[in-house]
């Protein structure tokens, strides 16, 4: 990361903090600032994967509480933006975020652990179209020009950043390449929108699409993947930079050891993940390049 | 045969049945129509509630151009678990300001961004209607060209309109529910028919049977002038309504026809007997004059005493023959004039004494009841002769040890003399000529007895009838009291 980009990010952070200052001062600051031993932590989840699986989150929370001996509060929000806001407001100690917001927030958060999916801490973006006649003519994203396209979330890499980047790489302007675009605010709903034919194309997280293929094959069968992106670092667990180092290590240890105990293995299985690794911020260089192409990083 | 010539036995049940079927059909149709209207109203009310709620929340989604949330909003209607509810719209969609589909629950037929004009004539007409729409309330559009009815709600807050929510109701959305209701109604109708039709058939038959019988009897009466016809049995129709009155009228008519026929027969007999009487008395008068002359001449011849004995013998023979003719003629010339002494009880006792020996001879029983009324009674001689004639006949006609009765009493302002005796009935054809001269019922009779009796009764202004019943032959003579002509 070069100086100018750091300066930009720093500026952006200051601007954001300044804008939200009124709110930040009210409730969040005193708690995070205290150095006393913590009895509870809050963990944020985005709709990236487990949005509809409240039971799973409940089990996750109980397992975490038992292992760490801490009270765990799970905060679930409808969009990436809301989870990011919670981090900025210091309402969260830890969060599972998409790689794109991670990079946007990299001055505010630290990489905690990266999930391992199919043996690697990587995933990719799928461009999908309706199966059957309606999507028959589409062979790549190029053929979707002037169609209705479903993005997952404006802060999603695989559901927003990558497809726009791909269009830009073709020499087109992603702002008017499609006739109409809309957000479904979750990857699963991108699959639904495309399956129902509301959109003629959509961009979806490969991990979500493949997990759905196991849970609800009837839904994914109504879509067809026409393009697969290069691999990017998997959406990571992050910790707020204000999180005490002891707590940081404690939670990281919990995540890295999950695959070693039966309850953790069961939770991972239900999440369709193999486990967690420490990971490296360089995993996300691909994302940073795309952001750079749009002048964002 | 024309349908209206059918017997009441069939016509009444058929007409009744037709009316019942028509009534049931009319009531059922009215109820179905009501049900259909109710259903339409239900749909409208449900649509108003649904559309009103949706259009409010859609405003915010459209404001943020969040079509997916808008889709989830309108699609939630179908996710609530009442997909089979017939009053749910077939499709819900939002039309944007330039007439394009913003979002729809049926993306296959109504894809996003599609121009309404390009979706067929029904939608094109809807697009024109939306252009014209100005109010803030909902509107119902029902185009002949569209397969659905549209209820549209402007998506607006204050003066900003972001689009229009359209609920499209299939035209046959009511059909399943309506069909179920129609089936239900039809079943009830059939049940009502199953109860009413047999009752109607029974009632119609009950009404028709006496009518049919009456009609048959009337037809027979017209043919036979009331002869051989009996009164209708009262049990056939014991009610006092118009039909019952018809039965009574029928009976009255029958009685009158019989009375009339009897009178006609009597009149005919009287006229015939009158003609015979006039003829007989005419001949008798014409015979009497020369007869009187001849008897006078014979008498003169005999008083002269000049004729030899053989001639005298011939004269006697002639005289006997002429005397016999004179007796017969006298019998034919019944004469009651000049007999002015009225009847007394003694006269009747005389007759009883006179006949007594003959009754004894045949060991017959004579029942004698006499009650003479007050007032001027008919002439004694005439009455005596009538009674003697009738009694002699009775004694002759009655077998030994038979029964004879005599009754003399006041009746209907006159005097009735009734003589009855045990005897086989007189045949009808003889009964009709009974009072004519020279009609004799037995060997050796002159056949003048009843003729004389009849003539006397007529000349006194009375009448005589004979009838046979219960093993009795009965002669009834009636004579007026104050009209002894």
């Amino acid at each position: 990361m070069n100086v100018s980009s750091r300066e930009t990010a720093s500026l952006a952070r200051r601007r954001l903090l300044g804008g939200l200052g009124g709110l930040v001062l009210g409730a969040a600051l005193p708690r995070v600032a205290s150095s006393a031993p913590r009895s509870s932590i809050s963990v944020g989840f985005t709709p990236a994967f487990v949005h509809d699986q409240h039971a799973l989150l409940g089990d996750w929370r109980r397992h975490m509480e038992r292992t760490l001996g801490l009270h765990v509060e799970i905060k679930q929000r409808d969009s990436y933006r809301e989870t990011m806001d919670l981090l900025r407001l210091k309402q969260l100690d830890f969060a599972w975020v998409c790689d794109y917001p991670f990079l946007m927030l990299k001055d505010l958060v630290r990489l905690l652990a990266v999930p391992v999916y199919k043996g690697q801490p990587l995933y990719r973006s799928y461009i999908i179209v309706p199966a059957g006649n309606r999507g028959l003519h589409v062979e790549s994203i190029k053929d979707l020009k002037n169609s209705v396209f479903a993005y997952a979330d404006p802060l999603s890499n695989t559901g927003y950043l990558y497809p726009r980047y791909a269009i830009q790489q073709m020499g087109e302007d992603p702002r008017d390449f499609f006739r109409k675009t809309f957000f479904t605010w979750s990857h699963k709903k991108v699959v639904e929108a495309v399956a129902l034919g509301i959109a003629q194309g959509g961009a979806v997280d490969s991990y979500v699409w493949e997990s759905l293929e196991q849970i609800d094959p009837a839904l994914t069968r109504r879509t067809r993947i026409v393009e697969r992106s290069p691999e990017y670092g998997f959406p990571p667990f992050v910790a707020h930079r204000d999180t005490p180092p002891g707590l940081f290590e404690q939670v990281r240890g919990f995540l890295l050891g999950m695959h070693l105990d039966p309850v953790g293995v069961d939770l991972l299985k239900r999440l369709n993940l193999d486990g967690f690794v420490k990971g490296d911020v360089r995993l996300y260089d691909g994302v940073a390049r795309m952001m750079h192409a749009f002048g964002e990083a | 045969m024309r349908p209206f010539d059918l017997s009441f036995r069939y016509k009444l049940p058929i007409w009744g049945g037709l009316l019942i079927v028509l009534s049931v059909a009319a009531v059922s149709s009215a109820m179905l129509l009501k049900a259909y209207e109710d259903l339409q109203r239900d749909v409208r009310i449900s649509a108003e509630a649904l559309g009103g709620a949706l259009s409010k929340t859609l405003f915010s989604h459209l404001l943020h151009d969040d079509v997916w949330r808008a889709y989830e909003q309108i699609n939630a209607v179908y996710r609530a678990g009442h997909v089979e509810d017939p009053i749910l719209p077939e499709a819900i969609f939002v039309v944007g300001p330039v007439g394009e589909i913003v979002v729809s629950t049926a993306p296959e037929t109504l894809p996003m961004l599609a121009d309404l004009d390009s979706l067929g004539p029904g939608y094109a007409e809807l697009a024109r209607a939306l252009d014209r729409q100005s109010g803030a309330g909902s509107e119902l559009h029902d185009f002949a060209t569209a397969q659905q009815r549209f209820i549209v709600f402007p998506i607006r807050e204050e003066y900003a309109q972001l689009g229009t929510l359209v609920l499209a109701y299939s035209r046959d959305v009511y059909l399943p529910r309506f069909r179920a209701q129609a089936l239900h109604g039809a079943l009830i109708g059939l049940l009502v028919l199953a109860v009413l039709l047999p009752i109607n058939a029974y009632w119609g038959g009950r009404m028709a049977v006496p009518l049919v019988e009456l009609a048959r009897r009337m037809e027979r009466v017209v043919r036979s002038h009331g002869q051989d016809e009996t009164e209708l049995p009262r049990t056939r129709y014991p009610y006092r309504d118009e039909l019952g009155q018809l039965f009574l009228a029928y009976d009255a008519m029958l009685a009158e026809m019989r009375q009339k026929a009897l009178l006609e027969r009597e009149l005919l007999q009287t006229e015939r007997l009158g003609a015979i009487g006039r003829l007989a008395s005419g001949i008798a008068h014409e015979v009497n004059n020369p007869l009187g002359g001849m008897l006078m001449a014979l008498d003169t011849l005999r008083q002269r005493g000049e004729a030899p004995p053989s001639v005298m013998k011939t004269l006697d023979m002639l005289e006997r023959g002429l005397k016999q003719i004179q007796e017969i003629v006298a019998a034919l010339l019944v004469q009651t004039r000049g007999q002015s002494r009225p009847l007394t009880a003694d006269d009747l006792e005389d007759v009883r004494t006179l006949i007594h020996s003959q009754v004894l001879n045949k060991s017959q029983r004579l029942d004698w009841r006499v009650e003479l009324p007050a007032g001027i009674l008919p002439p004694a001689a005439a009455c005596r002769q009538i009674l003697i004639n009738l009694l002699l006949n009775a004694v002759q006609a009655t077998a030994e040890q038979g029964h004879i009765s005599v009754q003399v009493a006041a009746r209907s302002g006159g005097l009735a003399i009734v003589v009855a005796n045990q005897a086989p009935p007189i045949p009808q054809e003889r009964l009709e000529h009974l009072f004519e001269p020279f009609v004799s019922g037995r060997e050796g009779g002159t056949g003048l007895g009843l003729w004389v009796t009849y003539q006397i009764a007529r000349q006194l202004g009375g009448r005589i009838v004979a009838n046979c019943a219960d093993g009795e032959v009965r002669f009834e003579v009636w004579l007026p009291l104050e009209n002894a002509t």
Side-chain angles (χ1 to χ4, degrees):
Chain A
M1 201 177 284
N2 57 38
V3 176
S4 65
S5 69
R6 193 180 294 139
E7 272 175 4
T8 313
S10 175
L11 271 173
R13 188 187 65 155
R14 250 176 262 137
R15 202 165 52 234
L16 270 170
L17 286 172
L20 295 164
L23 281 171
V24 170
L25 282 170
L29 264 177
R31 201 190 74 177
V32 180
S34 91
S35 54
R38 297 281 298 275
S39 66
S40 76
I41 56 169
S42 54
V43 184
F45 282 83
T46 65
F49 2 75
V50 292
H51 184 59
D52 294 328
Q53 300 180 39
H54 295 277
L56 176 67
L57 281 181
D59 292 345
W60 175 286
R61 183 179 60 80
R62 274 188 292 281
H63 179 56
M64 206 169 172
E65 280 182 340
R66 264 200 305 276
T67 313
L68 299 176
L70 290 169
H71 177 72
V72 176
E73 188 188 5
I74 301 246
K75 290 189 176 172
Q76 212 187 342
R77 288 296 180 268
D78 270 349
S79 67
Y80 293 121
R81 163 77 58 195
E82 288 166 278
T83 309
M84 283 174 72
D85 288 344
L86 288 177
L87 276 170
R88 287 195 186 104
L89 291 168
K90 300 185 183 176
Q91 296 274 318
L92 296 175
D93 300 302
F94 304 95
W96 195 356
V97 295
C98 189
D99 41 3
Y100 181 27
F102 162 60
L103 290 187
M104 292 173 90
L105 294 171
K106 63 180 182 296
D107 294 337
L108 189 69
V109 299
R110 289 170 64 199
L111 184 63
L112 182 71
V114 183
V116 178
Y117 174 60
K118 290 190 172 173
Q120 285 186 299
L122 300 170
Y123 79 143
R124 56 174 99 207
S125 171
Y126 286 164
I127 304 301
I128 56 171
V129 295
N133 288 336
R134 280 171 300 150
L136 212 57
H137 65 286
V138 184
E139 283 169 12
S140 72
I141 196 165
K142 199 162 34 173
D143 299 322
L144 285 170
K145 193 172 166 71
N146 282 326
S147 63
V148 176
F149 195 84
Y151 290 126
D153 190 295
L155 292 173
S156 161
N157 166 20
T158 51
Y160 185 65
L161 182 62
Y162 167 72
R164 292 175 79 238
Y165 177 75
I167 291 160
Q168 199 196 43
Q169 293 302 299
M170 292 188 306
E172 297 268 3
D173 185 347
R175 284 173 299 187
D176 57 17
F177 179 74
F178 297 114
R179 185 155 168 234
K180 165 99 187 167
T181 62
F182 61 88
F183 297 104
T184 66
W185 309 103
S186 117
H187 287 275
K188 186 186 169 192
K189 286 177 181 175
V190 170
V191 182
E192 284 176 9
V194 173
L196 289 168
I198 293 170
Q200 281 115 51
V204 67
D205 183 330
S206 67
Y207 159 67
V208 171
W209 194 91
E210 280 157 14
S211 299
L212 270 177
E213 198 181 21
Q214 290 172 19
I215 301 163
D216 189 0
L219 178 65
T220 49
R221 218 178 292 133
R222 290 166 70 191
T223 63
R224 182 168 62 88
I225 300 165
V226 292
E227 209 170 308
R228 289 168 166 84
S229 75
E231 290 179 322
Y232 300 103
F234 205 90
F237 262 91
V238 297
H240 198 279
R241 285 196 182 272
D242 290 347
T243 306
L247 187 61
F248 181 92
E249 290 303 328
Q250 198 185 357
V251 175
R252 177 181 262 181
F254 161 78
L255 290 174
L256 298 184
M258 253 182 102
H259 66 284
L260 298 175
D261 85 276
V263 182
V265 168
D266 176 59
L267 284 169
L268 287 170
K269 203 175 152 193
R270 283 160 72 187
L271 279 165
N272 197 26
L273 292 174
D274 301 330
F276 291 91
V277 292
K278 277 184 186 175
D280 190 303
V281 80
R282 278 174 306 199
L283 271 173
Y284 303 99
D285 285 352
V287 184
R289 263 198 304 281
M290 291 193 286
M291 287 169 74
H292 187 70
F294 287 104
E296 290 179 13
Chain B
M1 189 160 78
R2 292 171 303 171
F4 287 93
D5 292 341
L6 264 179
S7 162
F8 265 118
R9 192 173 300 180
Y10 309 109
K11 210 147 70 172
L12 274 182
I14 288 175
W15 273 118
L18 271 178
L19 283 177
I20 289 171
V21 169
L22 274 177
S23 311
V24 168
V27 170
S28 304
S29 310
M31 282 167 65
L32 278 182
L33 196 68
K34 178 81 170 60
Y36 188 74
E37 281 171 358
D38 284 354
L39 201 58
Q40 269 187 321
R41 209 194 50 222
D42 285 356
V43 167
R44 187 69 202 260
I45 290 171
S46 144
E48 291 290 341
L50 180 64
L54 280 182
S55 59
K56 276 193 180 61
T57 46
L58 280 172
F59 183 87
S60 147
H61 298 322
L62 292 195
L63 192 63
H64 297 104
D65 192 24
D66 195 343
V67 290
W68 177 257
R69 291 231 162 101
Y71 168 78
E72 288 192 320
Q73 188 73 49
I74 58 177
N75 198 48
V77 172
Y78 299 102
R79 291 200 170 184
H82 41 68
V83 180
E84 284 165 19
D85 190 337
I87 59 179
L88 272 185
E90 194 177 60
I92 305 175
F93 54 96
V94 175
V95 179
V98 294
E100 83 285 11
I101 301 277
V102 174
V103 66
S104 86
T105 57
E108 313 233 339
T109 50
L110 304 168
M112 196 182 288
L113 300 182
D115 199 339
L116 271 187
D117 285 326
S118 67
L119 292 171
Y123 291 104
E125 212 163 333
L126 174 67
R128 284 195 292 281
L130 292 183
D131 283 343
R132 287 194 302 272
Q133 189 178 24
S134 56
S138 70
E139 279 178 25
L140 171 73
H141 296 296
D142 193 350
F143 309 119
T145 49
Q147 286 167 343
Q148 296 136 322
R149 288 193 181 90
F150 303 112
I151 302 179
V152 303
F153 301 80
I155 300 171
R156 64 189 293 164
E157 261 178 33
E158 290 175 4
Y159 295 103
Q161 178 158 350
L162 300 182
T164 310
L165 172 72
V166 183
L167 307 184
Y169 285 89
S170 164
R171 280 193 189 283
D172 46 33
V173 63
Y174 317 113
L175 274 185
R177 199 154 128 179
F178 186 66
R179 207 176 283 137
Q181 280 179 343
L183 192 69
H184 188 68
L187 278 178
I188 290 180
L190 285 179
L191 207 68
V192 170
L193 287 185
V195 173
L196 287 189
L197 283 182
I199 291 176
N200 168 65
Y202 170 75
W203 172 82
R206 219 183 127 80
M207 285 299 287
V209 164
L211 263 179
V212 168
E213 166 137 11
L214 193 64
R216 215 183 53 228
R217 277 169 179 263
M218 289 292 271
E219 206 182 316
R220 279 215 306 264
V221 163
V222 166
R223 255 202 327 259
S224 71
H225 303 287
Q227 304 305 310
D228 318 323
E229 209 44 59
T230 55
E231 273 84 5
L232 280 163
R234 278 270 71 81
T235 50
R236 177 75 74 200
Y237 199 81
Y239 310 111
R240 294 299 210 117
D241 58 8
E242 281 80 0
L243 196 55
Q245 287 172 22
L246 210 55
F247 272 45
L248 290 177
Y250 170 81
D251 285 353
M253 184 193 73
L254 202 62
E256 269 182 32
M257 282 181 89
R258 276 202 202 129
Q259 186 65 35
K260 187 166 167 261
L262 199 67
L263 282 174
E264 275 175 356
R265 218 166 45 233
E266 270 183 26
L267 192 65
L268 209 63
Q269 202 175 17
T270 308
E271 277 178 0
R272 193 171 63 228
L273 287 172
I276 292 168
R278 281 192 298 280
L279 182 67
S281 65
I283 292 170
H285 275 295
E286 295 305 315
V287 171
N288 246 353
N289 290 336
L291 198 64
M294 279 192 273
L295 282 169
M296 202 125 59
L298 272 178
D299 203 38
T300 310
L301 264 179
R302 204 183 287 149
Q303 280 180 0
R304 279 189 194 159
E306 292 167 356
S310 62
V311 174
M312 287 299 280
K313 205 174 168 186
T314 308
L315 287 178
D316 287 346
M317 225 162 66
L318 276 173
E319 192 178 22
R320 277 199 303 277
L322 289 173
K323 280 266 165 81
Q324 196 180 349
I325 292 172
Q326 196 180 29
E327 276 173 29
I328 292 171
V329 168
L332 277 174
L333 255 181
V334 180
Q335 193 55 266
T336 57
R337 281 192 191 85
Q339 300 172 338
S340 55
R341 184 175 68 85
L343 182 70
T344 64
D346 291 341
D347 289 318
L348 296 176
E349 276 305 311
D350 287 351
V351 174
R352 190 180 183 178
T353 312
L354 279 171
I355 207 76
H356 189 65
S357 60
Q358 301 206 31
V359 171
L360 279 181
N361 279 346
K362 293 185 82 172
S363 313
Q364 289 162 335
R365 195 152 49 83
L366 180 64
D367 186 9
W368 192 270
R369 276 181 291 168
V370 171
E371 273 179 58
L372 284 182
I376 303 163
L377 293 172
C383 290
R384 285 169 71 124
Q385 196 171 355
I386 285 169
L387 196 55
I388 286 171
N389 280 357
L390 291 177
L391 268 171
L392 282 174
N393 273 354
V395 169
Q396 289 294 330
T398 307
E400 288 196 0
Q401 294 170 341
H403 180 247
I404 298 166
S405 73
V406 171
Q407 198 180 344
V408 179
R411 190 195 293 171
S412 314
L415 183 72
I417 302 166
V418 179
V419 176
N421 64 301
Q422 277 185 322
I426 303 165
Q428 182 65 34
E429 56 275 18
R430 258 199 69 206
L431 210 53
E432 280 180 17
H433 301 281
L434 205 58
F435 300 110
E436 290 171 21
F438 311 115
V439 175
S440 178
R442 60 174 195 274
E443 288 293 314
T446 58
L448 283 170
L450 283 174
W451 156 258
V452 169
T453 310
Y454 178 82
Q455 291 297 325
I456 294 168
R458 294 294 299 175
Q459 284 178 20
L460 292 177
R463 57 177 184 265
I464 176 168
V465 290
N467 55 54
C468 309
D470 306 326
E472 261 191 348
V473 174
R474 191 178 170 87
F475 285 88
E476 292 183 20
V477 179
W478 182 84
L479 301 171
L481 279 187
E482 284 181 278
N483 193 18
T485 48

